[in-house]
Amino acid sequence: MKQEQPTFFKALVSAIQMLYTIAPMLLAVIGMVGLFQTFITPEMLHSLFKGSTLYDTFVGTITGGISVGQPFLSYIIGGELLEEGISLYAVTSFILSFVSLGLIQLPLEYSLFGIRFTIVRNLLSFLFAILVSWATVITLEILS
Amino acid sequence: MGYSNYFRDTILINKNKNKGKKTQQRTGLIMLIIVIGIYIFSAILNLTATYNALLNSFQVLKVITPILLVVIFLMALLNSLINQKKISKHLGHNSGVKGWFIALVSGVLSHGPGYVWYPMLSELRSHGARDGLIVAFFYARAIKLPWLPMMISYFGLAFTSILTLYILLAALVQGIITDKLLAEKG
């Protein structure tokens, strides 16, 4: 039996209903963003780096994943970290996980995509933040 | 007989959908209550900082509202113009190179926080878009076109170009791995 194509109005009503369904979770995520922006300061993030490349790359990925805000904030913090002598590996993984990982949006992701998808996507993002940062810096060193 | 089976299946699917929506809303409400609780607890400890956090949240809401409206409009447009067969053809299991291309380009071009795009992507997924392409879309979003000039000014053109290329490559590889890992989900 052929499936009926909804009209634009019906599809719009359905999309608004979906927004209504996820609204409490969306508001919760936005509330968390405000809390993280206020209570997790750049100084706090700086203090976690120790100067060891391997350790700092790991820390960079985690801190990038829990940080929130516009992408340019990660460039500013990354630039400051570089000036303080933190390795480019760690700074790159921080910048990358800042935009590709999101601890606070995990509940929303889980509720819409399910547990398996959420775990696979976030684990891959975490792993690739480290791999891409190493590949980028090594390529840069070879080319220069 | 065929029709009675069809209607029985349709009723069952709709029942499951409604149940899923109710569970989603309940989980969301629990999460919202927890966040409100954190705000109350935080206000007791530090009222000024909590007020700033609330202001930051309103600022985020102000920024994402127009993007959210665009997403709602796009969802309605997609659902009314493109049927399930077309979505499966362009983003499903046999979408090939075209599917990867659509996922990567739309990921790079999409604006705003990732969670704003969740409803539309989950809708596409329920219509047959495969998981690998959604993962590729998400990772390609790490390339922020409007912020590239600023990234170049901080880290240089060579670094930005290499990182951008590797992000695209990583998005593709992650999509392929996801398809392999989640293939048996049915």
Side-chain angles (χ1 to χ4, degrees):
Chain A
M1 194 172 183
K2 200 182 169 191
Q3 205 182 356
E4 202 184 317
Q5 189 75 19
T7 61
F8 178 76
F9 182 73
K10 271 189 180 171
L12 188 66
V13 170
S14 168
I16 291 168
Q17 275 174 346
M18 178 159 197
L19 182 68
Y20 173 74
T21 307
I22 64 157
M25 186 64 91
L26 198 60
L27 286 173
V29 168
I30 293 167
M32 287 301 285
V33 171
L35 283 171
F36 271 59
Q37 279 181 346
T38 310
F39 290 103
I40 304 211
T41 60
E43 293 76 28
M44 223 183 259
L45 298 178
H46 284 204
S47 67
L48 295 170
F49 292 91
K50 303 283 180 210
S52 147
T53 304
L54 205 64
Y55 172 84
D56 282 353
T57 308
F58 195 69
V59 170
T61 310
I62 292 173
T63 49
I66 59 167
S67 303
V68 285
Q70 290 288 331
F72 72 88
L73 284 173
S74 70
Y75 307 154
I76 296 170
I77 298 170
E80 285 171 7
L81 288 171
L82 270 181
E83 275 178 20
E84 285 174 22
I86 304 300
S87 73
L88 190 56
Y89 296 98
V91 171
T92 311
S93 68
F94 173 78
I95 293 169
L96 205 49
S97 60
F98 193 95
V99 286
S100 63
L101 273 169
L103 184 77
I104 51 166
Q105 60 211 38
L106 280 181
L108 185 63
E109 189 173 342
Y110 157 70
S111 81
L112 285 172
F113 295 98
I115 190 80
R116 284 188 72 198
F117 178 91
T118 307
I119 289 174
V120 168
R121 191 191 80 76
N122 284 282
L123 277 181
L124 284 174
S125 283
F126 183 86
L127 189 70
F128 273 83
I130 296 170
L131 290 176
V132 170
S133 71
W134 278 75
T136 303
V137 180
I138 290 169
T139 309
L140 199 64
E141 280 172 1
I142 292 169
L143 290 178
S144 60
Chain B
M1 185 71 182
Y3 276 103
S4 71
N5 280 345
Y6 171 78
F7 286 121
R8 193 192 60 206
D9 289 349
T10 310
I11 290 165
L12 256 173
I13 289 166
N14 285 338
K15 264 188 180 174
N16 284 339
K17 266 188 180 175
N18 286 337
K19 202 178 162 192
K21 277 183 181 176
K22 275 184 183 165
T23 314
Q24 254 177 19
Q25 208 164 24
R26 199 170 48 232
T27 319
L29 276 172
I30 293 168
M31 185 73 185
L32 187 60
I33 290 166
I34 292 171
V35 173
I36 292 170
I38 296 171
Y39 266 91
I40 293 170
F41 182 69
S42 161
I44 294 166
L45 297 175
N46 189 340
L47 190 62
T48 317
T50 311
Y51 178 68
N52 286 337
L54 204 59
L55 284 183
N56 281 337
S57 291
F58 277 117
Q59 193 59 35
V60 172
L61 193 63
K62 216 169 91 180
V63 171
I64 70 158
T65 300
I67 307 167
L68 212 53
L69 291 177
V70 172
V71 171
I72 294 293
F73 179 77
L74 281 177
M75 275 170 75
L77 211 59
L78 278 173
N79 277 334
S80 58
L81 293 179
I82 304 168
N83 61 30
Q84 203 163 334
K85 268 188 184 168
K86 275 188 185 162
I87 292 175
S88 289
K89 188 182 161 196
H90 297 299
L91 300 170
H93 289 282
N94 299 316
S95 56
V97 180
K98 195 206 260 176
W100 292 115
F101 182 76
I102 294 172
L104 294 177
V105 171
S106 52
V108 172
L109 294 178
S110 64
H111 283 285
Y115 55 83
V116 175
W117 295 93
Y118 285 179
M120 195 181 91
L121 292 169
S122 87
E123 193 81 357
L124 283 174
R125 190 180 182 231
S126 68
H127 284 92
R130 66 178 204 266
D131 289 342
L133 294 183
I134 292 170
V135 167
F137 171 92
F138 276 130
Y139 209 76
R141 283 179 41 77
I143 298 168
K144 302 287 181 189
L145 281 184
W147 298 109
L148 282 184
M150 191 173 177
M151 192 186 227
I152 292 169
S153 79
Y154 265 89
F155 303 102
L157 181 64
F159 174 87
T160 308
S161 311
I162 294 166
L163 182 64
T164 305
L165 277 174
Y166 277 128
I167 289 172
L168 279 177
L169 189 66
L172 189 67
V173 176
Q174 282 184 59
I176 294 167
I177 295 173
T178 304
D179 277 341
K180 294 249 184 271
L181 288 175
L182 300 179
E184 71 274 21
K185 83 178 163 80

